[in-house]
Amino acid sequence: MTERYPGYNVLNKRNSPSWNDQTRAVVDARLNVDPNLRRFCDDREWKTLCAVCAQIIPQNSDRPDKVPLAALVDEKLHNRRSDGYRDARLPELTAAWRKGLAAIEAEAFFVGNKPFFELADEQQRALLLKVQQGDVSSLAWLDLPPALFFTERILHDIVSAYYAHPVSWNQIGYGGPASPRGYVRMNFDRRDPWEAAEAAPGKEEAARRENEHVR
């Protein structure tokens, strides 16, 4: 797959005027998350969460840097770091995930007589699609709206974790928090010199050379 921002590494900004001490501390904390550390999930929940994360945002096995999605979600749950709001039809953050992971497991046994993480790849995708559509069979969903859980917790928490991590910023050309330097050229199709250059078709090498000097 062609890179949209070849040669760009947001971490080159670490000691530049783009980031201050607070920004560096936040970024370092995210980079130092242990992908195998769990403090909220038990063993079964952890395996289910890892499998769900892999379905929502697949990360190629040959990719050198990966976002530790399950660990980031587990950290959020352990710290009870809520969003400051929730849909009243769902339990609070940690209860929703406890019930949701258990319901996904129950659904997996209902349709495949196996834990979710042991289902084949296509079976996992099909099961999550049913959850997304609210088309479930297990009674474990009785007090948890499946489609709402999928949208408000599974998608929201996993996708938010992914795009809050520096590894994903390189893919989308994001420079991290605009602190303290900020952004100046705010008009359409204009960018500051400390922003990544997107590669136009046939001009990938030019973008790579430019991005290697972005700080």
Side-chain angles (χ1 to χ4, degrees):
M1 184 173 64
T2 303
E3 295 179 77
R4 292 185 64 186
Y5 300 91
Y8 177 63
N9 185 350
V10 70
L11 297 182
N12 289 341
K13 295 177 180 286
R14 193 182 194 286
N15 296 312
S16 76
S18 289
W19 292 359
N20 57 16
D21 289 342
Q22 184 175 0
T23 301
R24 284 188 281 271
V26 169
V27 171
D28 288 348
R30 294 176 188 175
L31 288 170
N32 290 329
V33 169
D34 183 345
N36 300 308
L37 177 65
R38 57 179 174 87
R39 292 178 291 174
F40 174 83
C41 293
D42 63 24
D43 184 61
R44 178 61 66 88
E45 290 169 338
W46 175 252
K47 290 177 180 178
T48 301
L49 177 59
C50 288
V52 170
C53 287
Q55 288 295 336
I56 299 300
I57 303 183
Q59 301 187 76
N60 295 337
S61 58
D62 59 349
R63 185 168 147 186
D65 298 314
K66 298 180 179 62
V67 178
L69 286 174
L72 287 168
V73 174
D74 182 271
E75 180 186 61
K76 176 177 181 174
L77 297 172
H78 173 75
N79 293 328
R80 303 182 71 88
R81 193 169 64 245
S82 69
D83 306 306
Y85 63 90
R86 69 176 172 89
D87 192 303
R89 292 170 291 176
L90 286 175
E92 59 86 21
L93 175 71
T94 57
W97 271 104
R98 289 265 191 233
K99 291 174 181 285
L101 291 172
I104 289 172
E105 277 294 277
E107 193 71 22
F109 274 98
F110 189 93
V111 301
N113 200 33
K114 288 182 179 179
F116 180 79
F117 57 86
E118 289 185 5
L119 294 178
D121 189 63
E122 63 273 11
Q123 289 177 303
Q124 291 182 355
R125 287 198 301 271
L127 191 153
L128 289 177
L129 179 61
K130 285 183 174 292
V131 174
Q132 180 184 20
Q133 296 171 340
D135 180 21
V136 294
S137 303
S138 170
L139 295 178
W141 295 100
L142 282 180
D143 58 349
L144 184 69
L148 198 61
F149 174 71
F150 184 89
T151 302
E152 299 296 324
R153 289 276 64 99
I154 293 179
L155 279 188
H156 175 80
D157 293 337
I158 293 174
V159 174
S160 295
Y162 184 80
Y163 284 108
H165 196 277
V167 166
S168 68
W169 296 351
N170 291 335
Q171 299 172 0
I172 61 176
Y174 179 52
S179 176
R181 177 179 263 172
Y183 297 104
V184 178
R185 295 168 176 81
M186 304 297 289
N187 290 336
F188 176 74
D189 203 26
R190 297 188 69 194
R191 65 182 180 83
D192 292 305
W194 49 89
E195 292 184 271
E198 185 172 3
K203 298 183 178 180
E204 292 82 3
E205 190 54 38
R208 180 182 299 279
R209 289 196 299 269
E210 188 168 352
N211 286 331
E212 287 174 349
H213 295 90
V214 170
R215 296 291 187 273

